């Protein structure tokens, strides 16, 4: 087993284990954060009679990450089980709750040993709950009878879950559409005949400005193995295990049943596969398969995204977003780029929406042309829909009503505008079991967080489609944080809500709004006894240019400023804005129950620290100016304002404040240490520090290195490593899969600081990616962070302790 890797540029005296390459364990309170159960998810049956609650156990062992793994085309695959090697959305518990039995507390379904649940769904007839069971040996469909709660594994239907493990029920509940494994999946990988042959790549005359990605195909042998592992057989599987194979095996990237279940929309990945793109951007053949006669009709051959034009509003030229019209039995819709996909060129029309009826061989009908990119289509009926357009360059989102009159504006806001976000639109299922926006008397229901400068006040509203006037039907109670999960009925208005408060752990309730009566459905349990009494408050403060900022301050239980200042860890993540008013918005609820992720800095409150979390770090570029044109100046101004408010409150000693961040937050940390003396130390996790290694853009910056060389250099802390004169703890996952944040980024910055005589520590977590998940890794992460802060912020540290002995690595 690999050991943890740690290097320190200056040998620290605070801990004799400072260079011990082994996992460490933090204090008990911090271990409690790692051991707590994960979050839950819920699913509602189509007839709204059943609620499924899916639960996660505590963090997995590092052994989960050490399973066999191949990294191909942006995928991480276990070639033995034909599943994702790092399944993110999998669960370890299942509770089924009947909503029409007032006295029932639900039934916990025992899952088979070693099996995790993914892709859960109720059959349309509410006879079964199905899920894909993931294990070390493979993936199979399971069905749970809602009559006797028996669990059946469909043993003969082994799935290939490399691209997707989802199964799709037919509308009558008689069978499921699935991707099955084929014999070719299990052939051992063929070794190249001549392993010393050169690897050759060549350009074309077309520009191909792509961002930096990990885990790409590197050779023809990789491409052959990718095809071998992802090849699947489409089949219909009945609840008794009977199979009907449909079409020849292929790499099915997309499968979707028509509303009437007579056809399947199919997307097949086609060769040659790009060595510069993830599989989602490979060329793809779109076709329609008839379940009646087995005939397959070609719709389109979609090109690779390798030569997609640059710019945030650019798309691959041609057609995209093929979908079934949910209100019609068998009608296909799609979007075509009217500007050759080039969002940087001036164009009155960006996209056109088309419709094609069965038998799919006639002339497509153009429904509407839009001035911005179509991002989403929410149908109301056969002729009416809400069309969502996005302008990423200007960070604007527009929702318009499409009807016989054309497009009529319904809602418009900035992309990051939480105050004016209408939330989730309420939908109802039609005869095909498809979701349509529910409109009655020209009004629709929608529910959201209700963000404002006073914090979150979740709501359910009824809003006119014509004049936008709203009526609030329900809102969270004072002193609680309650949110709508599902609307069970409109008359009478019945909801499923989640409810929590500062002292009450989250729970699910079935609520009758008119009477106010509720039924407890599910209660989450508190596993953080060590954090009782932690203080939490929203701090509002102002940047030197007048821009309002905010952050969430956590203080130890019982602490008051009269006891003296505390060592402080400030944690943030910069975000770009085109509107100052949006940049100043608050995202906070004082009534949320304390929830602490092991990746969060908040856990360190238990060790005597004040934690200033989610500190606003807006980078604003209004009008023709771009946010990054003044990145450094705004970043410093944000940090100065945050430090100032803590010092003025007598919470912080300005000599004992550290700054931390993850990913782009880590980039922020290194910049602040290089260009200010505000902080005594920094913690930078999984960051990118040399922007010349991300030459075709990063975050929302779309200019490339050669267009904005001075900007890239100015923003790169690697170029200013000689100015990083405060200690910095660099942590990185060994197998980081995030775009741009290669582990080499941390290694190069560490080597620069070491060579320049600065103080740094580099910790590489084995097997981990961009977000750390293993129990051993998270415990060690907390141990590293605590020891680093104790070394540089705790008052017991003497001046003699502060001296470091420069030495060889």
């Amino acid at each position: 087993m690999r050991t943890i890797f740690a290097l320190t540029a200056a040998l620290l005296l605070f801990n004799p284990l400072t260079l011990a390459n082994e996992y460490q364990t933090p204090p008990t309170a911090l271990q409690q954060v790692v051991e707590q159960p994960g979050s839950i998810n819920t699913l509602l049956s189509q007839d709204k009679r059943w609620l499924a609650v899916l639960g996660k156990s505590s963090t997995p062992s590092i052994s989960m990450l050490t399973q066999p793994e191949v990294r191909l085309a942006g995928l991480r695959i276990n070639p033995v089980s034909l599943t994702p090697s790092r399944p993110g959305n999998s669960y370890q518990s299942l509770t089924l709750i009947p909503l029409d039995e007032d006295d029932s507390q639900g039934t916990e379904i025992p899952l088979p040993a070693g099996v995790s649940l993914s892709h859960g769904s109720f059959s349309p007839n509410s006879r079964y709950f199905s899920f894909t069971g993931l294990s070390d040996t493979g993936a199979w469909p399971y069905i749970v009878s809602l009559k006797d709660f028996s669990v059946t594994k469909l043993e003969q239907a082994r799935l290939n879950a490399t691209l997707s493990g989802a199964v799709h029920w037919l509308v009558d509940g008689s069978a499921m559409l699935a991707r099955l494994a084929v014999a070719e999946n299990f052939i051992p990988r063929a070794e190249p005949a001549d392993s010393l042959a050169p690897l050759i790549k060549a350009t074309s005359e077309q520009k191909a400005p792509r961002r930096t990605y990990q885990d790409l195909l590197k050779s023809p042998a990789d491409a052959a193995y990718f095809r071998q592992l992802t090849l699947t057989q489409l089949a219909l599987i009945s609840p008794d295990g009977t199979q009907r194979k449909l079409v020849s095996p292929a790499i099915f990237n997309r499968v979707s049943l028509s509303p009437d279940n007579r056809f399947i929309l199919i997307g097949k990945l086609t060769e040659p596969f790009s060595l510069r793109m993830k599989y989602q951007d490979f060329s793809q053949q779109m076709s329609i398969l008839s379940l009646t006669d087995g005939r397959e009709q070609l719709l389109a051959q979609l090109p690779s995204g390798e030569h997609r034009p640059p710019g945030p509003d650019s798309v691959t030229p041609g057609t995209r977003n093929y979908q079934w019209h949910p209100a019609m039995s068998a009608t296909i819709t799609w979007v075509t780029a009217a500007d050759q996909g080039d969002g940087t060129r001036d164009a009155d029309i960006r996209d056109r929406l088309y419709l094609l009826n069965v038998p799919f061989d006639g002339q497509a009908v153009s429904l509407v042309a839009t001035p911005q990119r179509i991002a989403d289509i929410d149908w109301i009926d056969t002729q009416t829909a809400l069309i969502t357009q996005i302008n990423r360059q200007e960070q604007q989102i527009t929702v318009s009503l499409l009807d016989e009159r054309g497009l009529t504006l319904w809602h418009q806001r900035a992309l990051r505008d939480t105050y004016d976000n209408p939330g989730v639109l309420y939908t109802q299922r039609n005869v095909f079991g498809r979701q349509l926006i529910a409109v009655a008397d020209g009004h629709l229901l929608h529910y959201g967080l209700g963000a404002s400068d006073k914090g979150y006040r979740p709501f359910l509203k009824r809003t006119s489609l014509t004049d936008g006037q709203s009526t609030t039907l329900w809102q969270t109670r004072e002193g609680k944080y309650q949110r709508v999960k599902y609307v069970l009925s409109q008359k009478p208005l019945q909801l499923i809500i989640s409810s929590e408060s500062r002292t009450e752990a989250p729970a699910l309730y079935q609520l009758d709004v008119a009477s106010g009566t509720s039924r407890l459905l599910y209660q989450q349990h508190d596993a953080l006894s060590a954090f009782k009494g932690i203080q939490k408050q929203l701090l509002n403060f102002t940047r030197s240019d007048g821009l309002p900022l905010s952050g969430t301050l956590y203080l130890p239980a019982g602490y008051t400023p009269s006891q003296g200042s505390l060592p402080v860890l400030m944690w943030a993540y910069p975000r770009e804005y085109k509107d100052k008013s949006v940049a100043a918005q608050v995202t906070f609820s004082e009534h949320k129950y304390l929830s602490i992720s092991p990746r969060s800095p908040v856990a360190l409150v238990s060790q005597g620290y004040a934690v200033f979390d989610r500190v606003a770090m807006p980078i604003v570029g209004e009008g023709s100016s771009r946010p990054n044109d003044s990145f450094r100046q705004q970043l410093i101004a944000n940090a100065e304002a945050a430090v100032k408010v803590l010092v003025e409150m007598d919470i912080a000693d300005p000599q004992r404040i550290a700054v931390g961040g993850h990913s782009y937050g880590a980039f922020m940390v290194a910049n602040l240490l290089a260009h200010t003396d505000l902080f005594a130390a920094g913690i930078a996790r999984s960051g990118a520090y040399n922007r010349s290694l991300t030459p075709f853009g990063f975050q929302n910056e779309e200019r490339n290195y050669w267009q904005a060389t001075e900007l890239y250099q100015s923003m790169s802390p690697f170029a200013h490593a000689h100015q990083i004169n405060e200690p910095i703890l660099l942590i990185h996952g060994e197998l980081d899969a995030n775009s741009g944040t290669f582990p080499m980024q941390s290694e190069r910055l560490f080597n620069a600081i070491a060579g320049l005589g600065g103080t740094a520590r580099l910790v590489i977590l084995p097997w981990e990616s961009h977000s750390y998940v293993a129990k051993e890794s998270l415990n060690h992460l907390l141990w590293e962070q605590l020891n680093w802060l104790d070394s540089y912020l705790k008052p017991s540290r003497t001046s003699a302790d502060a001296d470091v002995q420069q030495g060889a690595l």
Side-chain angles (χ1 to χ4, degrees):
M1 178 176 172
R2 301 182 204 179
T3 57
I4 197 161
F5 174 79
L7 284 177
T8 306
L11 300 181
L12 306 180
L13 302 179
F14 75 87
N15 194 317
L17 295 177
T18 189
L19 292 181
N21 289 342
E22 57 188 30
Y23 288 110
Q24 303 295 328
T25 304
T28 303
L30 300 183
Q31 293 181 56
Q32 195 177 86
V33 174
V34 176
E35 295 290 343
Q36 67 179 317
S39 59
I40 66 167
N41 193 12
T42 59
L43 296 168
L44 185 68
S45 65
Q46 291 191 19
D47 62 6
K48 300 183 179 180
R49 294 178 53 221
W50 291 91
L51 182 72
V53 180
L54 316 178
K56 289 180 177 286
S57 62
S58 63
T59 52
S61 167
I62 193 71
S63 61
M64 184 198 78
L65 301 184
T66 63
Q67 298 296 311
E69 179 180 78
V70 294
R71 298 182 283 278
L72 300 168
L75 288 171
R76 293 188 169 184
I77 301 169
N78 183 327
V80 176
S81 61
L82 298 178
T83 63
S85 56
R86 302 159 184 260
N89 294 319
S90 61
Y91 301 88
Q92 290 71 49
S93 69
L94 169 64
T95 302
L96 296 174
I97 304 171
L99 299 177
D100 52 3
E101 299 177 15
D102 291 343
D103 59 345
S104 175
Q105 296 300 305
T107 301
E108 185 169 352
I109 308 300
L111 299 180
V115 171
S116 292
L117 179 160
S118 70
H119 299 290
S121 65
F122 287 95
S123 63
N125 57 16
S126 287
R127 294 184 59 191
Y128 303 103
F129 180 84
S130 68
F131 64 90
T132 297
L134 305 177
S135 70
D136 294 343
T137 57
W140 280 267
Y142 288 76
I143 58 172
V144 182
S145 167
L146 297 183
K147 182 178 180 180
D148 61 11
F149 303 114
S150 59
V151 180
T152 302
K153 177 183 179 182
L154 303 185
E155 189 72 51
Q156 302 306 311
R158 179 167 182 178
L159 302 174
N160 182 324
T162 51
L163 294 184
S164 174
V167 297
H168 309 275
W169 283 97
L170 297 185
V171 70
D172 62 0
S174 62
M176 298 171 285
L177 177 65
R179 299 170 172 96
L180 301 184
V182 296
E184 189 169 344
N185 299 149
F186 305 102
I187 299 174
R189 180 172 187 173
E191 295 298 327
D194 184 359
S195 60
L196 296 179
L199 175 62
I200 299 171
K201 296 180 181 180
T203 64
S204 67
E205 294 183 358
Q206 282 184 286
K207 291 182 178 180
R210 297 276 69 85
R211 293 199 173 188
T212 52
Y213 298 113
Q214 277 83 300
D215 301 342
L216 301 182
L217 301 179
K218 295 180 176 63
S219 67
D222 277 355
Y225 197 39
F226 170 80
R227 180 189 182 279
Q228 177 186 321
L229 288 177
T230 56
L231 197 69
T232 59
Q233 171 68 62
L234 274 190
L236 291 175
I237 310 165
S238 65
D240 64 6
T242 304
Q243 296 181 22
R244 174 191 166 193
K245 295 180 180 178
L246 298 176
V247 68
S248 299
I251 304 175
F252 297 105
N253 183 47
R254 173 97 186 278
V255 293
S256 175
L257 286 159
S258 65
D260 65 5
N261 287 182
R262 289 188 297 151
F263 303 96
I264 304 175
L265 174 65
I266 292 174
K268 301 176 185 177
L269 299 184
T270 55
E271 300 181 82
F273 302 136
S274 171
L275 303 185
R276 301 186 63 237
M277 305 299 298
K278 295 183 178 182
Y279 79 94
Q280 295 95 331
D281 272 320
F282 287 175
S283 59
Q284 187 173 184
Q285 182 188 91
M286 301 302 300
S287 60
I288 294 178
L289 174 69
S290 170
L291 289 178
T292 304
D293 58 17
R295 188 166 63 97
E296 190 174 353
Q297 292 176 260
L298 178 66
L299 282 177
Q301 178 66 51
L302 307 184
S304 162
E306 187 163 334
H307 298 287
R308 182 170 58 247
D313 294 302
S314 294
V315 294
T316 302
T319 60
R320 69 183 194 278
N321 292 9
Y322 283 83
Q323 305 281 349
W324 291 110
H325 192 313
M328 304 177 78
S329 60
T331 296
I332 283 288
T333 66
W334 67 84
V335 176
T336 298
D339 58 358
Q340 302 302 308
D342 189 350
T344 63
R345 66 164 64 175
D346 292 334
D348 295 328
I349 297 174
R350 292 283 178 211
D351 281 342
R352 293 184 186 275
L353 174 64
Y354 286 91
L355 175 148
L356 181 63
N357 289 310
V358 67
F360 316 115
D361 55 5
Q363 185 68 34
V365 177
S366 177
L367 295 181
V368 70
T370 61
Q372 305 300 337
R373 290 281 176 238
I374 294 177
D376 198 11
I377 306 164
D378 294 296
W379 290 96
I380 296 171
D381 54 37
T382 57
Q383 303 294 323
T384 315
L386 289 175
I387 307 293
T388 301
Q389 302 171 64
I390 288 183
N391 182 334
R392 297 191 184 279
Q393 182 67 46
E394 297 301 322
Q395 297 189 22
Q396 286 288 319
I397 183 168
T398 302
V399 183
S400 302
L401 177 67
L402 171 66
D403 58 17
E404 68 277 1
R405 299 168 298 175
L407 283 180
T408 305
L409 179 65
W410 181 66
H411 174 79
Q412 189 171 41
R413 62 182 172 88
L415 276 174
R416 297 192 190 277
D417 185 350
T418 58
Y419 288 8
D420 200 29
N421 191 337
V424 178
L425 303 180
Y426 171 59
T427 61
Q428 288 182 318
R429 293 188 183 273
N430 62 8
V431 293
F432 301 119
R434 302 301 172 97
Q435 302 275 17
L436 296 175
I437 300 296
V439 174
D441 301 324
H443 291 72
L444 51 75
L445 296 185
H446 56 105
Y447 49 92
L449 292 176
S452 73
D453 55 3
K454 304 297 183 184
Y456 291 138
R457 289 295 311 282
F459 65 84
L460 171 68
K461 292 182 179 180
R462 184 174 184 265
T463 298
S464 170
L465 275 173
T466 55
D467 61 16
Q469 294 298 307
S470 295
T471 302
T472 299
L473 304 179
W474 172 89
Q475 195 156 29
T476 183
R477 287 171 52 193
E478 288 292 337
K480 291 184 179 293
Y481 178 66
Q482 299 174 314
R483 294 170 296 146
V484 174
K485 299 287 288 183
Y486 304 100
V487 177
L488 296 179
S489 68
Q490 294 190 64
K491 294 182 180 180
L493 184 56
Q494 294 187 338
L495 313 173
I496 292 178
I497 65 169
S498 66
S499 180
E500 60 189 279
S501 71
R502 281 178 176 251
T503 58
E504 298 171 329
L508 297 173
Y509 289 91
Q510 186 173 347
L511 173 67
D512 184 282
V513 173
S515 67
T517 58
S518 62
R519 168 196 167 196
L520 176 64
L521 298 175
Y522 188 87
Q523 177 68 63
Q524 290 183 246
H525 298 290
D526 174 33
L528 298 178
S529 58
F531 294 84
K532 295 295 184 185
I534 294 296
Q535 303 174 65
K536 169 186 171 184
Q537 66 182 102
L538 177 69
L539 289 191
N540 292 296
F541 53 104
T542 305
R543 202 165 75 176
S544 57
D545 61 359
L547 182 66
L549 303 176
S550 64
T552 305
L553 178 64
Y554 295 86
L555 299 170
Y559 168 79
T560 63
S562 63
Q563 297 170 345
S565 63
L566 292 171
V568 178
L569 173 60
M570 192 173 89
W571 202 268
Y573 188 98
R575 298 187 187 278
E576 299 96 332
Y577 296 88
K578 292 293 291 180
D579 186 330
K580 284 185 177 179
S581 65
V582 176
Q585 291 184 355
V586 172
T587 55
F588 173 81
S589 173
E590 63 179 314
H591 304 301
K592 278 188 175 182
Y593 193 74
L594 185 64
S595 174
I596 304 176
S597 163
R599 289 168 289 275
S600 163
V602 178
L604 293 166
V605 178
S606 67
Q607 305 305 304
Y609 288 89
V611 175
F612 198 18
D613 192 23
R614 299 173 65 88
V615 177
M617 286 282 165
I619 310 296
V620 185
E622 293 190 309
S624 60
S625 67
R626 304 193 188 192
N628 284 340
D629 292 344
S630 56
F631 173 86
R632 190 196 298 176
Q633 298 93 318
Q634 293 194 60
L635 190 72
I636 293 171
N638 294 330
E640 287 175 340
V643 168
K644 180 181 178 183
V645 70
L646 293 173
V647 173
E648 289 179 345
M649 293 175 64
D650 294 327
I651 298 292
D653 172 349
Q655 304 302 314
R656 295 197 294 146
I657 304 175
V659 63
H662 188 92
S663 195
Y664 205 52
F667 174 71
M668 169 202 73
V669 169
N671 265 298
L672 288 173
L673 296 187
H675 302 298
T676 78
D677 291 314
L678 292 170
F679 303 101
I683 299 173
R685 302 186 333 211
S686 298
Y689 311 104
N690 183 348
R691 285 302 167 195
S692 71
L693 298 178
T694 57
F696 287 105
F698 53 92
Q699 293 296 106
N700 289 319
E701 179 56 65
E702 293 292 335
R703 291 167 289 186
N704 66 44
Y705 176 82
W706 297 272
Q707 293 171 322
T709 305
E710 185 177 343
L711 174 77
Y712 273 63
Q713 288 298 103
S714 172
M715 290 182 65
S716 294
F718 178 82
H720 308 280
H722 60 293
Q723 297 173 204
I724 298 178
N725 52 16
E726 294 87 12
I728 184 169
L729 172 62
L730 298 165
I731 301 176
H732 220 114
E734 177 191 28
L735 300 176
D736 192 328
N738 185 56
S739 173
T741 54
F742 295 93
M744 176 179 66
Q745 291 271 8
S746 289
E747 293 166 356
R748 293 286 173 85
L749 181 60
F750 173 82
N751 288 337
I753 294 171
L756 293 164
T759 301
R761 179 175 172 86
L762 172 63
V763 178
I764 302 295
L765 298 172
W767 303 104
E768 292 288 357
S769 185
H770 191 62
S771 181
Y772 325 131
V773 298
K775 183 179 303 182
E776 294 85 348
S777 303
L778 294 170
N779 274 320
H780 189 88
L781 170 74
L782 292 168
W783 180 87
E784 288 281 0
Q785 293 179 157
L786 177 61
N787 277 290
W788 192 254
L789 296 178
D790 282 353
S791 173
Y792 293 105
L793 300 190
K794 282 295 177 76
S796 58
R797 188 168 181 264
T798 66
S799 58
D801 293 330
D803 294 333
V804 293
Q805 174 186 347
Q806 299 297 325
L809 298 179

